[in-house]
Amino acid sequence: EGKLIIFSVLSAKAIRDYIYTFVSRTNTCGELRSAHVGQKVTLYGWVQYQRQGLFLVLRDFHGLTQVIIPQDEVSGHSHVKELLSNAPVESVVRVTGTVSPRPLGQQNPKMPTGDIEVKAETAEILNSCKKLPFEIKDFIKKSEALRMQYRYLDLRSSRLQANLRLRSGVVMRMREYLCNLHGEGLLAGAKEFLVPSREAGKFYSLPQSPQQFKQLLMIGGLDRYFQVARCYRDEGSRPDRQPEFTQIDIEMSFVDQAGIQRLIEGLLQHSWPEDRGSIVTPFPSMTYEEALAEYGTDKPDTRFGMKIVDISDVLRGSNIHFVQNALSYPHGSIRAICIPQGMRYLTNKDLESLKESAKSQFNQCSALGALRLLSADLLEAAGLTLRDPTAFHFLWVVDFPLFLPKAENPTELESAHHPFTAPHPSDASLLYSDPTKVRSQHYDLVLNGNEVGGGSIRIHSAEQQRFVLEKVLKEDSEVLSHLIEALEFGAPPHGGIALGLDRLISLIVDAPSIRDVIAFPKSFRGRDLMGNAPDYVTPEELEPYHIQVSWPLEEKEAKKN
Amino acid sequence: EGKLIIFSVLSAKAIRDYIYTFVSRTNTCGELRSAHVGQKVTLYGWVQYQRQGLFLVLRDFHGLTQVIIPQDEVSGHSHVKELLSNAPVESVVRVTGTVSPRPLGQQNPKMPTGDIEVKAETAEILNSCKKLPFEIKDFIKKSEALRMQYRYLDLRSSRLQANLRLRSGVVMRMREYLCNLHGEGLLAGAKEFLVPSREAGKFYSLPQSPQQFKQLLMIGGLDRYFQVARCYRDEGSRPDRQPEFTQIDIEMSFVDQAGIQRLIEGLLQHSWPEDRGSIVTPFPSMTYEEALAEYGTDKPDTRFGMKIVDISDVLRGSNIHFVQNALSYPHGSIRAICIPQGMRYLTNKDLESLKESAKSQFNQCSALGALRLLSADLLEAAGLTLRDPTAFHFLWVVDFPLFLPKAENPTELESAHHPFTAPHPSDASLLYSDPTKVRSQHYDLVLNGNEVGGGSIRIHSAEQQRFVLEKVLKEDSEVLSHLIEALEFGAPPHGGIALGLDRLISLIVDAPSIRDVIAFPKSFRGRDLMGNAPDYVTPEELEPYHIQVSWPLEEKEAKKN
């Protein structure tokens, strides 16, 4: 009871056993050094390249080793020469031979195994490779569609291998940090992606996030929960979104906003890859109001300045007509960003594109935020470095409004995040008098201008939850009756957070897309170009699920009649 | 490159920080001892029970603590008394007070905190609990449906809390053992559960297992992969199956059957809960043929004997008519099991039920296997212990047939497991001459008569894979063309295994159902009785997915016309 799990450290022997005992190789391709000279070794790997029947470079997940093809007439050697000289690039081979020092002057200091080579004695082609659709080299440009179609070849690139290796390491260290928690094992909940069941007309839905279930776990007395949760979200054709994604999902009882924030800071510090520098905690914090006023966005990139400033007072005495006009409105103001060295770096064409951007967002409060980012892009394109890609600026954004006016009908309110978010303690009474003024206990974690996480302290009072749903949001609370009922059975105060793992990892490795940190991503349009999903199914396959396809054409014809 | 991840050990301080810093309590309810006497503490927890306004027992995830309700007239104390005396059972309260030794003779040695009590000074009811639908005590019987409907209350039981705690610990230790591997991040594949997409007529499918994707990862040069994978399987109304389940999924390149087996033995030894005794490795191994001959099943419970013996030779000289008749068939034989102490323990009624069971399975080869288990049940019901519930007998079953005759048409063959399984090296040539005789490189892991895992060395030759699909199974290989094509690009020899985590954990904790080791399971019939899934959706919600429900009644009417 209450015993902590202390991580056992695997012995060096156990680790060696783990890597070698279970497979038939004696060493990996990344391992041999001068100390191994004279040893007989068996390597397995792919033919990276081969030169004139003299040598080849063998590659596996762990590195590269140079293999010398025998040229003498010793028995069996001509067979080995024949095999290795003719093995197509990317074929899989087994090579047994002796580790030898490379001749003087031929060492390669850039290659970890560059001091040695393996003199092949026997060899076997385990699988020959047919002509590749593209060369597996990072610098070779290939279309995204082709890369997706042959994802298993793309995965052999050193860049993707490094990305997935880093992802695995970060997640493991996150688990180490979190593993005193308990409560794996849940799934399902939320809305979207429907799954037809065998009961006519009844559907499951795939979890957008385990929001309700993690709250129910707290009500179930589990105290703390974390999960690396696979979630599903149907965002239609929104680009660079994945219909399935991964989040580090956390929930705790008896916790406040600061507690969750300190936990996440500790978690990220513990799991941060060593070679990406260290991160400083606690992370700075900014209110939603400040973020909008100074950066024109709720996810400010704080790696550079160029903040928005209010110059209304400076201009109040001016007699410029449009300025006076703007200031005559209630809450009317004149705001600006100062672009240092703009005169020097921005061309007339740049200024034109800034004007265009401003015009296209006329009257939108986010216009200056977008202008700020566009200015940074333009300055960087002109050679100035504003945003250090190796710098990681984390930021908490807090004190979001609890409710926002609905876009389609501003007299009605909707939740700024979700209806389970608790009001800010100082604003709790406003909930009943002026809900539009209530700030929430929601917090976002922002990294270099990207939202990488978000969470909140939840409502734990059934009465308050019912009030929010019925009186403020005017929603039918019946759908959530099981959650509200659960709150009545001694729900503890609780809160949580979810980190978007795919986005976080892609920022750490500076990948242009989250598809570069997912082994088998879906394409831009949610398609699996390799396995060809989604795909047609036969009416017979749909029968047990009591559904049929409504073909758009048929619909049109039906309407005609 | 090739660097090993060594698990960092969290310092005691970090662990303390982790448990306490993020929340407002000073201690958990499982922690206070005599050494804490005199300290002022703040505890959060649920009211386990309360006695006559004198004391109450507070419970959290970590344990129980006795709280003394103040009876004196000190300022504020009467308010605390009022609060705590009237807090309904299972309400959530905060109590601040001083740790005191229990009076002599009132210590409770069965309770880890039984030497102390906390004298309450201030208290707050954080959430009151309404009348419970059932008492949260393990010994109180309640219906499975009620437990599922109020799963969050059921989760507060010490049994479920212990199960989930153990599950979390085992999985964490499995990850420690496996974490030198790389390649999280995949999902999708396989068949079953359809997910309609926004493209008319096109469906995704949820993964039954990541089989194809893990093979593609090996072809992608990832070398080793493991995942705690959530899988989905629509098994209609098969009882005690979950539409979603969890497996420990592993795949390795350049590995053979023995390599995978040693890995799994090491994994289970490393992650085995300390308090369940140790397990001995290597696990014994048995061929499929031996298993069927001696135990009448391919998943023998080896905790007890009563093996099937062939007594044909003994009886060949007899003149019993039905014996001679049986022996006159080709491969005809007489087999028996000997039930030690059967004469003493089995009643006439028992013998009658054995006869009934034998009759109902007449002519089925598994009949004796079932009789053996039924005999064990009967002997144990009579008081004999045959199968020690604390004993764990692991067993590898190997050398399965690669193909089996189809039930509906025995002249055609189907894969005994799946079409990617490699033939046994000794039988590879039989593949082309007599496929029915080919044994496979499939292996099952059996624990106490339950299949807890299975895997195989996979076919890595495109040619052999195509032959199996087209010539032996007469299947359309087009559906799997992307996998076969991938095999042509230098696929390494590879193999893997998947362990059924839910079943494994339920056997370790001796739970009657896997529902006892899953936080939010579906019911017998695949329903979520708390969230009410699957549920009806409106035609409008189906519209973006271009599907409509075929109501069974409408179908009938359509047929009439």
Side-chain angles (χ1 to χ4, degrees), chain B residues 160-210:
Chain B
L160 276 186
Q161 297 230 342
N163 286 355
L164 293 178
R165 184 196 304 269
L166 180 133
R167 179 182 176 127
S168 169
V170 169
V171 172
M172 187 62 205
R173 285 191 297 279
M174 284 183 166
R175 289 189 197 277
E176 284 170 17
Y177 188 82
L178 292 170
C179 97
N180 316 39
L181 300 186
H182 299 275
E184 294 250 354
L186 71 159
L187 240 217
K191 263 191 224 165
E192 304 274 21
F193 277 127
L194 293 171
V195 182
S197 78
R198 285 168 189 256
E199 289 182 76
K202 287 196 170 184
F203 292 78
Y204 294 102
S205 61
L206 291 179
Q208 262 201 54
S209 91

Side-chain angles (χ1 to χ4, degrees), chain A residues 272 276 278-279 301 303 386-394 447-448 507:
Chain A
W272 202 252
R276 312 281 152 155
S278 59
I279 52 178
D301 187 341
R303 284 175 300 175
L386 276 179
R387 294 165 296 194
D388 179 358
T390 66
F392 296 97
H393 285 235
F394 281 100
L447 170 58
N448 296 353
L507 289 171

Side-chain angles (χ1 to χ4, degrees), chain A residues 4 6-10 15 18-19 22-25 44 46 61-62 90 92 126-131 133 150 152 155-156 161 165 168 172 175-176 178-182 185-187 193-204 213 216 219-224 227 230 232 234 236 252-255 259 262-263 270 460 482 485-492 518 520 526-528 530 534-537 542 545-552, chain B residues 1 4 6-10 15 18-19 22-25 44 46 61-62 90 92 126-131 133 150 152 155-156 161 165 168 172 175-176 178-182 185-187 193-196 198-204 213 216 219-224 227 230 232 234 236 253-255 259 262-263 270 460 482 485-492 518 520 526-528 530 534-537 542 545-552:
Chain A
L4 295 174
I6 306 292
F7 316 101
S8 58
V9 177
L10 290 183
I15 290 171
Y18 176 70
I19 293 215
F22 307 123
V23 295
S24 4
R25 63 187 165 209
Y44 285 74
W46 284 263
F61 189 64
H62 305 273
E90 293 300 320
V92 185
L126 299 165
N127 220 348
S128 188
C129 180
K130 74 170 182 178
K131 197 177 172 319
Y150 295 98
Y152 48 90
L155 282 172
R156 291 186 194 168
Q161 297 230 340
R165 185 197 303 270
S168 169
M172 187 63 206
R175 289 189 197 277
E176 283 169 19
L178 293 169
C179 97
N180 315 41
L181 300 185
H182 298 275
L186 71 158
L187 240 218
F193 277 126
L194 294 171
V195 182
S197 77
R198 285 167 189 257
E199 287 183 78
K202 287 197 169 182
F203 291 78
Y204 294 103
F213 287 88
L216 290 169
I219 301 171
L222 269 287
D223 206 75
R224 272 132 201 257
Q227 191 183 201
R230 192 82 49 172
Y232 304 86
D234 181 7
M252 294 162 87
S253 291
F254 312 118
V255 74
R262 295 303 87 78
L263 171 75
H270 180 82
H460 68 274
H482 62 287
E485 186 180 20
L487 291 177
E488 292 175 321
F489 289 112
I518 299 175
F520 294 110
R527 293 211 188 96
D528 174 352
M530 187 180 58
D535 202 0
Y536 296 108
V537 301
L542 294 180
Y545 300 105
H546 309 280
I547 55 169
Q548 50 181 303
V549 176
S550 323
W551 295 99
Chain B
E1 286 285 311
L4 294 174
I6 305 292
F7 315 102
S8 58
V9 177
L10 290 183
I15 290 170
Y18 177 72
I19 292 214
F22 308 122
V23 297
S24 6
R25 63 185 163 208
Y44 285 75
W46 283 262
F61 190 62
H62 305 274
E90 292 301 320
V92 186
L126 299 165
N127 221 350
S128 187
C129 180
K130 73 170 185 180
K131 196 178 173 318
Y150 295 99
Y152 49 88
L155 282 172
R156 291 185 193 168
Q161 297 230 342
R165 184 196 304 269
S168 169
M172 187 62 205
R175 289 189 197 277
E176 284 170 17
L178 292 170
C179 97
N180 316 39
L181 300 186
H182 299 275
L186 71 159
L187 240 217
F193 277 127
L194 293 171
V195 182
R198 285 168 189 256
E199 289 182 76
K202 287 196 170 184
F203 292 78
Y204 294 102
F213 286 89
L216 290 169
I219 301 171
L222 268 289
D223 207 76
R224 271 130 201 261
Q227 192 183 201
R230 193 83 48 172
Y232 304 86
D234 180 7
S253 291
F254 312 119
V255 72
R262 294 304 86 78
L263 171 75
H270 180 83
H460 67 275
H482 61 288
E485 186 180 19
L487 292 177
E488 291 176 320
F489 289 113
I518 298 174
F520 294 110
R527 292 210 188 97
D528 174 353
M530 188 179 58
D535 202 0
Y536 297 108
V537 300
L542 293 181
Y545 300 105
H546 309 279
I547 54 169
Q548 51 181 302
V549 176
S550 323
W551 295 99

